[in-house]
Amino acid sequence: EAGVTQFPSHSVIEKGQTVTLRCDPISGHDNLYWYRRVMGKEIKFLLHFVKESKQDESGMPNNRFLAERTGGTYSTLKVQPAELEDSGVYFCASSRPAFDTQYFGPGTRLTVL
Amino acid sequence: ILNVEQSPQSLHVQEGDSTNFTCSFPSSNFYALHWYRWETAKSPEALFVMTLNGDEKKKGRISATLNTKEGYSYLYIKGSQPEDSATYLCAFSGSARQLTFGSGTQLTVLP
């Protein structure tokens, strides 16, 4: 069974530019989560999809962040326009039942210059 | 605001030593406690999910216990090996489904 995959692994952009991160969850996992770790801090929750619906987006920092999961398969997280404080590692995780183990991808390291 | 605390922040042990770390979490509104092993630039690897007070889980040389009444969990590694070097993360989930992570314990096992 393939694990959670994320693309790209690294992205370096300038302040004001747009970046789109992609996550492919484990096949059959209805629950998909986005998390972020900024340097030196804890991994923090951003949002949770159940299939294509946003279940909880209470962790999204502001309206520069837009997440989608069309068709309930892969998900994208767009940051537009990017700011310096958006730098960090963005993780995606997926699970079957909502409280089951969440399997993480390797993350996308975003650097905003 | 949920607070998940892990201690120690970092730990250096000699190969063959046994070690343990602590995770403390809110005892109210508890659903599950997760442990992950994470090496930088890799996916955090799920070790255990524990839901019941008194739960004990074991995977090879690694084991974990859970006390939901007082809000803590211990992770034990028996006979540490250099390949055990990693950051060990615990995460709490309550009625909201997302994980609230601690800052991790960075373990270095010296050969």
Side-chain angles (χ1 to χ4, degrees), chain B residues 47-68:
Chain B
L47 293 174
F48 307 114
V49 181
M50 296 186 288
T51 57
L52 298 176
N53 185 43
D55 250 357
E56 291 188 26
K57 297 262 177 137
K58 188 171 168 109
K59 185 177 181 179
R61 294 179 292 99
I62 305 177
S63 60
T65 60
L66 179 68
N67 182 322
T68 60

Side-chain angles (χ1 to χ4, degrees), chain A residues 4 31 33 35 37 42-45 48 50 55-56 58 91 98-106 109, chain B residues 4 31-32 34 36 38 40-44 46 49 89 93-103:
Chain A
V4 177
N31 292 281
Y33 304 81
Y35 293 88
R37 182 175 188 257
E42 298 87 355
I43 297 173
K44 287 202 183 294
F45 168 77
H48 170 207
V50 178
Q55 183 76 14
D56 181 352
S58 61
F91 289 102
F99 289 109
D100 203 350
T101 300
Q102 292 185 25
Y103 296 91
F104 278 74
R109 181 172 293 278
Chain B
V4 178
Y31 187 83
H34 304 244
Y36 288 86
W38 181 41
T40 305
K42 294 187 179 178
S43 305
V49 181
L89 299 165
S93 58
S95 58
R97 298 175 182 184
Q98 71 264 29
L99 301 182
T100 300
F101 280 88
S103 54

Side-chain angles (χ1 to χ4, degrees), chain B:
Chain B
I1 297 176
L2 295 175
N3 217 24
V4 178
E5 303 279 350
Q6 290 189 247
S7 64
Q9 195 170 21
S10 66
L11 190 57
H12 289 72
V13 301
Q14 290 294 136
E15 182 175 355
D17 286 351
S18 292
T19 187
N20 65 84
F21 337 123
T22 305
C23 172
S24 62
F25 53 87
S27 53
S28 61
N29 205 25
F30 173 87
Y31 187 83
L33 194 282
H34 304 244
W35 280 101
Y36 288 86
R37 177 182 181 280
W38 181 41
E39 293 180 71
T40 305
K42 294 187 179 178
S43 305
E45 174 196 353
L47 293 174
F48 307 114
V49 181
M50 296 186 288
T51 57
L52 298 176
N53 185 43
D55 250 357
E56 291 188 26
K57 297 262 177 137
K58 188 171 168 109
K59 185 177 181 179
R61 294 179 292 99
I62 305 177
S63 60
T65 60
L66 179 68
N67 182 322
T68 60
K69 293 183 180 178
E70 295 179 44
Y72 66 83
S73 175
Y74 293 134
L75 187 81
Y76 301 91
I77 302 179
K78 186 177 176 183
S80 303
Q81 300 296 308
E83 57 265 28
D84 295 329
S85 297
T87 297
Y88 291 83
L89 299 165
C90 74
F92 163 95
S93 58
S95 58
R97 298 175 182 184
Q98 71 264 29
L99 301 182
T100 300
F101 280 88
S103 54
T105 293
Q106 188 171 2
L107 174 68
T108 304
V109 182
L110 304 168

Side-chain angles (χ1 to χ4, degrees), chain A residues 48-56 69 72:
Chain A
H48 170 207
F49 284 99
V50 178
K51 296 185 180 178
E52 66 275 8
S53 300
K54 289 178 188 172
Q55 183 76 14
D56 181 352
R69 193 182 181 195

